[in-house]
Amino acid sequence: CPGHVQYTRNTVTGMSTSQVVVLLVDARNGVVEQTVRHLNVAALLGVKTVILGVNKIDLVDYSEEIYNTIKTEFEAKAAELGIEDPHVVPISALKGDNVVERSAHMDFYTGPTVLELLESIPATSGRALELDFRFNIQYVLREHATDYRAYAGRVNAGSVAVGDTVHAGGRSTTVTHIDTADGEQETAQAGDSVALRLADEIDLVRGELTHAQQEMTEKALAARPAAAMRSVSSGSSSSHAVSTALSSS
Protein backbone atom coordinates (compact mmCIF):
# COMPACT_ATOMS: atom_id res chain seq x y z
CA CYS A 1 0.00 0.00 0.00
CA PRO A 2 1.18 3.55 -0.72
CA GLY A 3 2.81 4.93 2.41
CA HIS A 4 2.13 8.64 2.11
CA VAL A 5 -1.14 10.14 3.30
CA GLN A 6 -1.73 11.93 -0.02
CA TYR A 7 -1.90 8.55 -1.74
CA THR A 8 -4.63 7.15 0.50
CA ARG A 9 -7.04 7.47 -2.42
CA ASN A 10 -4.88 5.03 -4.40
CA THR A 11 -5.01 2.68 -1.42
CA VAL A 12 -8.81 2.74 -1.48
CA THR A 13 -8.87 1.98 -5.20
CA GLY A 14 -6.51 -0.96 -4.82
CA MET A 15 -8.23 -2.43 -1.78
CA SER A 16 -11.69 -2.18 -3.30
CA THR A 17 -11.04 -5.29 -5.42
CA SER A 18 -8.59 -7.08 -3.11
CA GLN A 19 -9.04 -10.16 -0.95
CA VAL A 20 -5.69 -9.81 0.81
CA VAL A 21 -3.85 -6.65 1.83
CA VAL A 22 -0.13 -6.49 2.64
CA LEU A 23 0.99 -3.59 4.85
CA LEU A 24 4.57 -2.71 5.75
CA VAL A 25 5.93 -0.98 8.83
CA ASP A 26 9.45 0.00 9.74
CA ALA A 27 10.51 -2.06 12.76
CA ARG A 28 12.18 1.04 14.18
CA ASN A 29 8.92 3.01 14.14
CA GLY A 30 6.27 0.34 14.68
CA VAL A 31 2.58 0.91 14.01
CA VAL A 32 2.10 4.54 12.96
CA GLU A 33 -0.91 6.67 12.03
CA GLN A 34 -0.80 5.70 8.36
CA THR A 35 -0.70 2.00 9.29
CA VAL A 36 -3.90 2.42 11.28
CA ARG A 37 -5.45 4.46 8.48
CA HIS A 38 -4.78 1.70 5.95
CA LEU A 39 -6.16 -0.89 8.36
CA ASN A 40 -9.30 1.21 8.76
CA VAL A 41 -9.78 1.34 5.00
CA ALA A 42 -9.28 -2.42 4.69
CA ALA A 43 -11.94 -3.02 7.35
CA LEU A 44 -14.33 -0.55 5.74
CA LEU A 45 -13.98 -2.30 2.38
CA GLY A 46 -14.51 -5.74 3.88
CA VAL A 47 -11.02 -7.18 3.49
CA LYS A 48 -10.71 -10.11 5.89
CA THR A 49 -7.03 -10.99 5.55
CA VAL A 50 -4.31 -8.43 6.27
CA ILE A 51 -0.61 -9.31 6.36
CA LEU A 52 1.68 -6.93 8.24
CA GLY A 53 5.31 -7.12 7.24
CA VAL A 54 7.52 -5.79 10.04
CA ASN A 55 10.29 -4.66 7.70
CA LYS A 56 13.91 -3.72 8.48
CA ILE A 57 13.92 -6.12 11.39
CA ASP A 58 17.66 -6.49 10.77
CA LEU A 59 18.17 -2.86 11.81
CA VAL A 60 16.89 -3.67 15.31
CA ASP A 61 19.10 -6.78 15.59
CA TYR A 62 16.19 -9.12 14.85
CA SER A 63 14.64 -8.18 18.18
CA GLU A 64 11.93 -10.53 19.40
CA GLU A 65 10.77 -7.93 21.92
CA ILE A 66 10.22 -5.25 19.28
CA TYR A 67 8.44 -7.74 17.02
CA ASN A 68 6.10 -8.85 19.82
CA THR A 69 5.28 -5.24 20.75
CA ILE A 70 4.31 -4.40 17.17
CA LYS A 71 2.42 -7.68 16.78
CA THR A 72 0.37 -7.11 19.93
CA GLU A 73 -0.56 -3.55 18.97
CA PHE A 74 -1.48 -4.49 15.41
CA GLU A 75 -3.57 -7.52 16.34
CA ALA A 76 -5.47 -5.51 18.95
CA LYS A 77 -6.35 -2.84 16.40
CA ALA A 78 -7.29 -5.46 13.81
CA ALA A 79 -9.63 -7.17 16.28
CA GLU A 80 -11.23 -3.83 17.15
CA LEU A 81 -11.94 -3.14 13.47
CA GLY A 82 -13.25 -6.61 12.66
CA ILE A 83 -10.31 -7.89 10.58
CA GLU A 84 -10.83 -11.64 10.88
CA ASP A 85 -7.51 -12.97 9.64
CA PRO A 86 -4.49 -10.79 10.58
CA HIS A 87 -0.90 -12.01 10.18
CA VAL A 88 2.33 -10.38 11.36
CA VAL A 89 5.63 -11.45 9.77
CA PRO A 90 9.07 -10.10 10.74
CA ILE A 91 10.97 -9.48 7.51
CA SER A 92 14.01 -7.86 5.99
CA ALA A 93 13.28 -6.94 2.38
CA LEU A 94 16.94 -6.08 1.86
CA LYS A 95 18.32 -9.40 3.09
CA GLY A 96 15.33 -11.57 2.20
CA ASP A 97 14.45 -12.76 5.70
CA ASN A 98 10.97 -14.38 5.74
CA VAL A 99 10.01 -12.91 2.37
CA VAL A 100 10.43 -16.02 0.22
CA GLU A 101 12.64 -18.19 2.42
CA ARG A 102 12.61 -18.58 6.19
CA SER A 103 15.10 -16.56 8.16
CA ALA A 104 18.00 -18.14 9.98
CA HIS A 105 18.19 -15.15 12.33
CA MET A 106 14.81 -15.38 14.07
CA ASP A 107 14.26 -18.68 15.84
CA PHE A 108 11.40 -17.08 17.77
CA TYR A 109 9.29 -16.85 14.61
CA THR A 110 8.00 -20.20 13.38
CA GLY A 111 5.19 -18.99 11.11
CA PRO A 112 5.07 -18.87 7.32
CA THR A 113 6.94 -16.45 5.09
CA VAL A 114 5.09 -13.71 3.23
CA LEU A 115 5.11 -15.75 0.01
CA GLU A 116 3.89 -18.88 1.80
CA LEU A 117 1.00 -16.89 3.26
CA LEU A 118 0.02 -15.44 -0.11
CA GLU A 119 0.17 -18.85 -1.78
CA SER A 120 -1.97 -20.46 0.92
CA ILE A 121 -4.93 -18.09 0.64
CA PRO A 122 -7.53 -19.21 -1.96
CA ALA A 123 -7.93 -16.52 -4.59
CA THR A 124 -11.54 -17.26 -5.50
CA SER A 125 -13.16 -17.78 -2.13
CA GLY A 126 -14.16 -15.72 0.86
CA ARG A 127 -14.77 -12.06 0.20
CA ALA A 128 -15.06 -12.41 -3.59
CA LEU A 129 -18.08 -14.68 -3.20
CA GLU A 130 -19.75 -12.40 -0.67
CA LEU A 131 -19.61 -9.24 -2.78
CA ASP A 132 -22.20 -8.19 -5.32
CA PHE A 133 -21.85 -9.63 -8.82
CA ARG A 134 -19.13 -7.96 -10.91
CA PHE A 135 -18.07 -9.05 -14.39
CA ASN A 136 -15.58 -7.26 -16.66
CA ILE A 137 -16.18 -7.84 -20.36
CA GLN A 138 -13.04 -9.10 -22.08
CA TYR A 139 -14.44 -9.93 -25.51
CA VAL A 140 -17.69 -9.56 -27.43
CA LEU A 141 -18.64 -12.79 -29.22
CA ARG A 142 -20.71 -12.34 -32.39
CA GLU A 143 -22.11 -14.83 -34.89
CA HIS A 144 -23.97 -12.86 -37.53
CA ALA A 145 -25.46 -15.92 -39.22
CA THR A 146 -27.37 -16.85 -36.07
CA ASP A 147 -27.62 -13.42 -34.36
CA TYR A 148 -25.59 -14.84 -31.48
CA ARG A 149 -24.15 -12.19 -29.17
CA ALA A 150 -22.44 -12.91 -25.86
CA TYR A 151 -20.05 -11.11 -23.58
CA ALA A 152 -17.05 -13.16 -22.52
CA GLY A 153 -15.04 -12.53 -19.37
CA ARG A 154 -14.32 -13.65 -15.84
CA VAL A 155 -16.62 -13.23 -12.85
CA ASN A 156 -14.61 -10.97 -10.56
CA ALA A 157 -16.94 -11.14 -7.56
CA GLY A 158 -20.26 -12.55 -6.42
CA SER A 159 -22.39 -14.88 -8.51
CA VAL A 160 -24.94 -14.69 -11.29
CA ALA A 161 -27.73 -16.98 -12.46
CA VAL A 162 -29.94 -17.21 -15.52
CA GLY A 163 -32.86 -14.86 -14.95
CA ASP A 164 -30.91 -12.39 -12.80
CA THR A 165 -31.25 -8.67 -13.46
CA VAL A 166 -27.92 -6.95 -14.07
CA HIS A 167 -26.79 -3.45 -14.90
CA ALA A 168 -24.65 -2.75 -17.97
CA GLY A 169 -24.04 0.21 -20.22
CA GLY A 170 -26.32 2.42 -18.16
CA ARG A 171 -29.26 0.05 -18.59
CA SER A 172 -30.85 -2.85 -16.75
CA THR A 173 -31.27 -6.18 -18.47
CA THR A 174 -31.70 -9.89 -17.75
CA VAL A 175 -29.20 -12.72 -18.11
CA THR A 176 -30.77 -15.24 -20.50
CA HIS A 177 -27.90 -17.72 -20.94
CA ILE A 178 -24.55 -18.50 -19.35
CA ASP A 179 -22.22 -20.21 -21.85
CA THR A 180 -18.98 -22.04 -21.04
CA ALA A 181 -16.50 -24.18 -22.95
CA ASP A 182 -18.46 -27.20 -21.67
CA GLY A 183 -21.85 -25.87 -22.69
CA GLU A 184 -24.57 -23.86 -20.98
CA GLN A 185 -24.95 -23.68 -17.21
CA GLU A 186 -27.43 -22.06 -14.87
CA THR A 187 -25.03 -20.20 -12.57
CA ALA A 188 -21.51 -18.78 -12.38
CA GLN A 189 -19.50 -17.49 -9.45
CA ALA A 190 -16.27 -15.62 -8.71
CA GLY A 191 -13.39 -17.12 -10.67
CA ASP A 192 -15.50 -18.64 -13.47
CA SER A 193 -14.76 -17.71 -17.09
CA VAL A 194 -18.05 -17.54 -18.97
CA ALA A 195 -19.94 -15.77 -21.73
CA LEU A 196 -23.16 -14.02 -20.76
CA ARG A 197 -26.10 -13.60 -23.11
CA LEU A 198 -28.46 -10.77 -22.26
CA ALA A 199 -32.13 -10.18 -23.04
CA ASP A 200 -31.53 -6.77 -24.60
CA GLU A 201 -29.18 -5.64 -27.33
CA ILE A 202 -26.89 -3.24 -25.51
CA ASP A 203 -23.81 -1.78 -27.15
CA LEU A 204 -21.12 -3.03 -24.78
CA VAL A 205 -17.39 -3.20 -25.47
CA ARG A 206 -14.27 -4.74 -23.96
CA GLY A 207 -13.48 -3.34 -20.51
CA GLU A 208 -17.03 -2.42 -19.51
CA LEU A 209 -18.38 -3.60 -16.19
CA THR A 210 -21.55 -5.63 -15.75
CA HIS A 211 -22.72 -5.70 -12.16
CA ALA A 212 -25.64 -6.45 -9.88
CA GLN A 213 -28.60 -4.09 -9.99
CA GLN A 214 -28.27 -3.22 -6.31
CA GLU A 215 -25.87 -0.40 -5.60
CA MET A 216 -22.71 -1.89 -4.12
CA THR A 217 -21.95 1.19 -2.03
CA GLU A 218 -25.06 0.97 0.15
CA LYS A 219 -24.71 -2.76 0.70
CA ALA A 220 -20.99 -2.55 1.44
CA LEU A 221 -21.34 0.32 3.89
CA ALA A 222 -24.18 -1.38 5.73
CA ALA A 223 -22.02 -4.47 6.28
CA ARG A 224 -18.88 -2.73 7.52
CA PRO A 225 -17.87 -2.79 11.20
CA ALA A 226 -18.98 0.28 13.12
CA ALA A 227 -15.47 0.80 14.52
CA ALA A 228 -14.04 1.10 11.01
CA MET A 229 -16.70 3.58 10.01
CA ARG A 230 -15.97 5.76 13.03
CA SER A 231 -12.20 5.58 12.57
CA VAL A 232 -12.18 6.46 8.89
CA SER A 233 -14.73 9.23 9.24
CA SER A 234 -12.60 10.82 11.96
CA GLY A 235 -9.83 11.61 9.45
CA SER A 236 -10.86 14.15 6.83
CA SER A 237 -8.37 13.16 4.12
CA SER A 238 -8.98 9.42 4.29
CA SER A 239 -12.73 9.92 4.76
CA HIS A 240 -12.93 11.97 1.59
CA ALA A 241 -10.86 9.42 -0.32
CA VAL A 242 -13.02 6.51 0.82
CA SER A 243 -16.26 8.37 0.07
CA THR A 244 -15.06 9.37 -3.38
CA ALA A 245 -13.84 5.89 -4.30
CA LEU A 246 -16.95 4.12 -3.06
CA SER A 247 -19.35 6.54 -4.73
CA SER A 248 -17.59 5.98 -8.05
CA SER A 249 -17.61 2.16 -7.77
Side-chain angles (χ1 to χ4, degrees):
C1 288
H4 302 292
V5 64
Q6 61 265 37
Y7 299 129
T8 302
R9 182 169 180 168
N10 295 348
T11 299
V12 177
T13 302
M15 287 189 189
S16 66
T17 55
S18 300
Q19 289 177 258
V20 181
V21 167
V22 179
L23 302 179
L24 292 178
V25 297
D26 188 323
R28 298 168 297 179
N29 301 325
V31 175
V32 297
E33 180 183 359
Q34 188 68 349
T35 311
V36 176
R37 182 178 288 111
H38 285 162
L39 194 60
N40 286 328
V41 174
L44 179 64
L45 294 174
V47 178
K48 295 180 178 180
T49 302
V50 177
I51 301 170
L52 181 71
V54 183
N55 194 24
K56 303 183 181 179
I57 195 73
D58 54 304
L59 296 183
V60 293
D61 297 323
Y62 301 99
S63 171
E64 179 180 1
E65 180 181 357
I66 290 177
Y67 165 73
N68 285 335
T69 299
I70 295 172
K71 180 175 183 289
T72 299
E73 183 178 357
F74 179 79
E75 289 180 340
K77 190 63 179 178
E80 176 189 338
L81 295 174
I83 301 293
E84 298 179 6
D85 189 29
H87 301 268
V88 184
V89 185
I91 67 171
S92 171
L94 177 64
K95 298 185 177 181
D97 293 277
N98 288 332
V99 178
V100 175
E101 298 181 356
R102 293 176 182 271
S103 173
H105 301 99
M106 291 177 280
D107 293 337
F108 62 85
Y109 179 77
T110 58
T113 66
V114 172
L115 182 61
E116 287 171 345
L117 271 173
L118 293 175
E119 289 182 334
S120 69
I121 299 169
T124 58
S125 65
R127 179 174 179 255
L129 295 176
E130 296 173 2
L131 294 172
D132 288 330
F133 169 67
R134 280 183 274 175
F135 177 84
N136 282 101
I137 297 172
Q138 297 177 1
Y139 195 77
V140 180
L141 303 172
R142 298 292 303 271
E143 176 55 64
H144 296 286
T146 61
D147 249 359
Y148 177 89
R149 182 197 298 231
Y151 305 97
R154 189 169 183 265
V155 181
N156 298 324
S159 60
V160 66
V162 172
D164 283 356
T165 299
V166 297
H167 195 72
R171 294 176 54 185
S172 296
T173 187
T174 303
V175 176
T176 59
H177 300 79
I178 300 175
D179 299 329
T180 73
D182 298 320
E184 293 187 30
Q185 61 187 43
E186 292 297 312
T187 63
Q189 64 178 13
D192 292 346
S193 295
V194 298
L196 302 182
R197 283 189 269 170
L198 306 177
D200 302 287
E201 290 190 7
I202 304 175
D203 188 17
L204 302 175
V205 297
R206 175 184 170 90
E208 290 203 59
L209 178 68
T210 301
H211 57 89
Q213 178 88 14
Q214 182 178 4
E215 285 297 328
M216 184 187 70
T217 301
E218 295 180 3
K219 184 175 181 180
L221 288 175
R224 297 291 69 85
M229 294 294 293
R230 288 195 302 271
S231 299
V232 174
S233 62
S234 64
S236 58
S237 60
S238 57
S239 175
H240 174 73
V242 172
S243 299
T244 301
L246 283 176
S247 62
S248 61
S249 296

